[in-house]
Amino acid sequence: MSAKVVEILSAEEIRRTVTRLASQIVERTRDLSDLVLLGIYSRGALLAELLARQIETLENVSVSVGALDITLYRDDLDQIGLRTPAKSDISIDLTGKTVVLVDDVIFKGRTIRAALNAIQEYGRPEVIRLAVLVDRGHRELPIHPDFIGKQLPTAKEEVVKVYLQDWDGRDAVELIGD
């Protein structure tokens, strides 16, 4: 029996969602010159770039963007298997900055917990906020995104797959289940 695939967001819906998220980030940020979008590898980093471009379009301000690898900070490597860490790309001191952590999907919250630990290597931000494209629920940790593109109640055994043009050759979000 093959898995059932349902498109949750089309390319156009992802574009509109990124625009909305960028607008919300701008509204909640006092000083855009202190804003750093920090994407979690791999699709979170791509989303951070998309958000930065959209903020620049909306506000005519260039926003700092970085990419964070959280592999060595995970507490569940025994469950997800060994991974080769990527190199985090954070070229500025985060001390005093408004950091918006960006990821594609939030599920249990463990990735975000690891990211919060990893950020401490790069300074002490004034505030850390969280932006996700999809929130599917089922949190195991008390972590809640500040900016949510799509709230998507799911069953634990279902999978949410995000496809982004620069990584996958297309933009879409799909729910995969039985």
Side-chain angles (χ1 to χ4, degrees):
M1 186 163 124
S2 65
K4 180 180 173 187
V5 178
V6 177
E7 184 177 79
I8 301 302
L9 295 174
S10 67
E12 179 62 21
E13 290 167 323
I14 289 175
R15 185 196 60 75
R16 278 188 298 229
T17 300
V18 167
T19 299
R20 181 172 43 79
L21 288 169
S23 295
Q24 291 173 349
I25 290 167
V26 167
E27 288 172 7
R28 294 257 326 259
T29 305
R30 280 191 314 238
D31 183 358
L32 291 176
S33 66
D34 282 336
L35 177 63
V36 178
L37 299 176
L38 199 53
I40 299 172
Y41 278 120
S42 58
R43 287 171 186 81
L46 294 172
L47 284 167
E49 292 285 346
L50 292 173
L51 287 166
R53 286 195 295 256
Q54 188 59 38
I55 290 170
E56 187 167 359
T57 298
L58 293 170
E59 298 294 313
N60 202 27
V61 173
S62 184
V63 175
S64 297
V65 181
L68 185 65
D69 179 76
I70 53 98
T71 302
L72 299 177
Y73 298 88
R74 295 194 67 108
D75 65 357
D76 59 355
L77 283 175
D78 59 328
Q79 296 171 13
I80 64 170
L82 289 177
R83 294 184 178 183
T84 303
K87 184 172 178 4
S88 291
D89 180 16
I90 302 171
S91 59
I92 63 171
D93 181 4
L94 298 179
T95 301
K97 302 292 186 184
T98 296
V99 173
V100 176
L101 201 55
V102 181
D103 205 6
D104 56 349
V105 178
I106 186 167
F107 183 30
K108 297 176 181 179
R110 299 211 172 268
T111 296
I112 304 308
R113 187 217 42 88
L116 292 170
N117 288 342
I119 284 173
Q120 302 312 306
E121 302 276 331
Y122 299 94
R124 189 175 189 275
E126 176 75 24
V127 64
I128 301 172
R129 296 198 172 102
L130 176 59
V132 298
L133 186 62
V134 177
D135 181 351
R136 60 172 294 191
H138 303 289
R139 220 74 81 240
E140 293 177 355
L141 300 171
I143 293 173
H144 184 75
D146 300 279
F147 311 104
I148 301 169
K150 176 83 173 168
Q151 195 91 39
L152 182 65
T154 64
K156 281 190 175 185
E157 62 276 358
E158 291 176 314
V159 174
V160 175
K161 183 76 175 138
V162 174
Y163 300 94
L164 294 174
Q165 183 67 41
D166 290 347
W167 190 264
D168 306 295
R170 68 185 178 116
D171 288 328
V173 175
E174 295 176 345
L175 179 64
I176 304 165
D178 292 332

